[in-house]
Amino acid sequence: MTSSKHQTRLDDRILVAGAGGFIGGALVRRLAERGHTRIRAVDRKPVGDWYQRTPGVENICMDLSEKENAVRAAEGAAEVYNLAADMGGMGFIERFRVECLRSVLVNTHLIEAAWRAGAERYFFSSSACVYNTDLQKDPNVRALKEADAYPAMAERGYGWEKLLSEMFCQEYWAERGLETHIARFHNIYGPYGTWFGGREKAPAAISRKLIEAKDTGHREIEIWGDGHQTRSFCYIDDCIEGIDRIMHSPDLIATPINLGSTELVSINELVDIVEEIAGITVTRRYNLDAPKGVAGRNSDNTMIRSILGWEPGATLREGMRHTYAWIEQQYNDRKAGKRVVEERW
Ligand code: NAD
């Protein structure tokens, strides 16, 4: 990988926290494909439950909200990627605010441990949920630019945890010289993510519902909210590419930056796309009492374009085609009694 100060060597130890999850698992695979030989992957879930396991990687089941575990995990690490958090779609983060807030313990211990271990750089996975919710009350939103996080009025629980952890990253750089990098992810989706069980997000949930409708012949699905709420969705491959670029940019030290797509769609438009991929149409039943989050949210990519000369490029249609195909395979495997990606926490 390229580097802002030291060239990271392929035999440097790299820690990926939250490696049993969706984005962490994809990052580990990418690092291994690039030839990194000393990857340490850590997650609280038992290793058998990880979404992906990459051969040749040191996989450890450990709770990083415990200080001693964070110290053990960061030992000897040149780079630390913190992708560990208790999270899920709106159904999860609106209901389990305490769990979301408690993720602050992971970052608090891990950044201290990384600094003490002499790590060269530290990555924190922040979220668009840090943005002021007052700016997201209309589906025809103005895209959110990085400065819109303050004055702060983040999403309760999850968003405030992210905002505070961002501040830790900024102050560890300012006061202690630990090089930190912060990306604000906007709805990442793709294969190897949660697709049922309660933590799944809209792209996976809608795919699963359409697959079920097709399979059972019951052509009706429930949609959370009125379907007019808008979002942009970023494909996993773009997210992993962005993490690498942000982590190794000398112009992005301790500087939160959006990592998302600018292709804004309503949830109804997302359903249209998945219907087209599935080759069926369904009756949409709107559940206005279900969690639906802010009315609209989009990523302003002016900063990432100007600093990195790059931004996520996959179209939603293209990304959803891969995602749908993977979930359909999972659905069929589950039906056949085979083991599938599952959320048990
Ligand atoms: P995920 O739930 O699939 O993965 C997170 C992983 O962290 C899980 O496997 C979980 O077991 C692990 N974890 C939680 N607490 C832990 C602890 N105490 N010790 C060790 N491991 C622990 O989620 P994801 O989608 O891969 O998200 C990764 C990161 O990106 C998170 O910080 C999340 O908040 C952030 N993020 C994701 C999205 C998105 O759309 N997926 C959007 C914004 C931000």
Side-chain angles (χ1 to χ4, degrees), residues 86-323:
D86 224 336
M87 68 97 61
M90 284 319 300
F92 183 84
I93 69 175
E94 283 195 359
R95 193 161 152 229
F96 297 109
R97 291 186 176 138
V98 171
E99 276 77 0
C100 292
L101 284 166
R102 285 181 57 82
S103 296
V104 79
L105 293 172
V106 175
N107 194 64
T108 305
H109 291 313
L110 205 54
I111 197 167
E112 173 75 13
W115 173 66
R116 286 188 184 276
E120 280 167 25
R121 42 191 96 68
Y122 183 92
F123 178 87
F124 177 65
S125 50
S126 188
S127 164
C129 290
V130 300
Y131 286 117
N132 192 319
T133 48
D134 283 346
L135 299 172
Q136 304 171 67
K137 291 189 164 157
D138 186 338
N140 299 314
V141 281
R142 165 176 74 68
L144 294 160
K145 53 186 188 311
E146 286 74 4
D148 290 331
Y150 293 96
M153 184 63 76
E155 186 96 37
R156 285 190 71 83
Y158 182 72
W160 279 99
E161 186 278 317
K162 292 294 187 194
L163 206 53
L164 180 61
S165 291
E166 283 189 359
M167 196 177 287
F168 267 92
C169 292
Q170 293 175 311
E171 300 310 331
Y172 266 77
W173 166 245
E175 280 183 29
R176 301 189 184 184
L178 172 63
E179 185 179 314
T180 56
H181 298 265
I182 306 152
R184 291 179 180 154
F185 298 162
H186 288 246
N187 296 311
I188 314 301
Y189 73 101
Y192 298 97
T194 313
W195 61 280
F196 72 104
R199 290 197 194 222
E200 66 278 16
K201 300 187 165 186
I206 291 166
S207 299
R208 189 202 65 234
K209 288 175 187 179
L210 265 290
I211 292 163
E212 266 163 9
K214 203 170 162 179
D215 183 39
T216 61
H218 181 65
R219 303 267 162 114
E220 183 181 287
I221 67 165
E222 181 186 84
I223 293 175
W224 287 7
D226 60 10
H228 296 303
Q229 65 274 37
T230 54
R231 293 290 184 279
S232 73
F233 298 96
C234 176
Y235 191 57
I236 184 70
D237 290 3
D238 280 332
C239 175
I240 299 299
E241 178 68 27
I243 291 174
D244 179 28
R245 289 173 183 259
I246 291 167
M247 178 71 145
H248 299 98
S249 167
D251 299 321
L252 287 174
I253 298 173
T255 307
I257 187 162
N258 283 333
L259 181 50
S261 159
T262 54
E263 188 184 347
L264 187 72
V265 290
S266 68
I267 294 301
N268 277 330
E269 286 165 339
L270 176 63
V271 178
D272 292 344
I273 290 174
V274 185
E275 277 186 338
E276 197 188 303
I277 295 168
I280 58 166
T281 50
V282 290
T283 306
R284 305 173 187 192
R285 189 165 34 83
Y286 296 98
N287 179 353
L288 302 182
D289 298 325
K292 52 189 175 299
V294 293
R297 176 183 289 159
N298 195 6
S299 175
D300 182 320
N301 283 359
T302 311
M303 183 169 160
I304 196 164
R305 271 197 301 265
S306 77
I307 296 184
L308 296 180
W310 174 91
E311 68 182 310
T315 64
L316 186 56
R317 204 167 292 268
E318 192 182 316
M320 283 310 295
R321 206 165 280 128
H322 296 299
T323 308

Side-chain angles (χ1 to χ4, degrees), residues 325-339:
W326 180 80
I327 295 175
E328 194 171 40
Q329 182 64 50
Q330 289 274 300
Y331 182 90
N332 291 335
D333 285 353
R334 186 178 65 174
K335 216 174 145 184
K338 290 191 202 151
R339 189 170 163 66

Side-chain angles (χ1 to χ4, degrees), residues 10-30:
L10 291 176
D11 62 352
D12 277 339
R13 171 158 290 138
I14 300 189
L15 168 64
V16 179
F22 169 45
I23 303 173
L27 178 63
V28 167
R29 198 183 57 207
R30 171 72 70 90

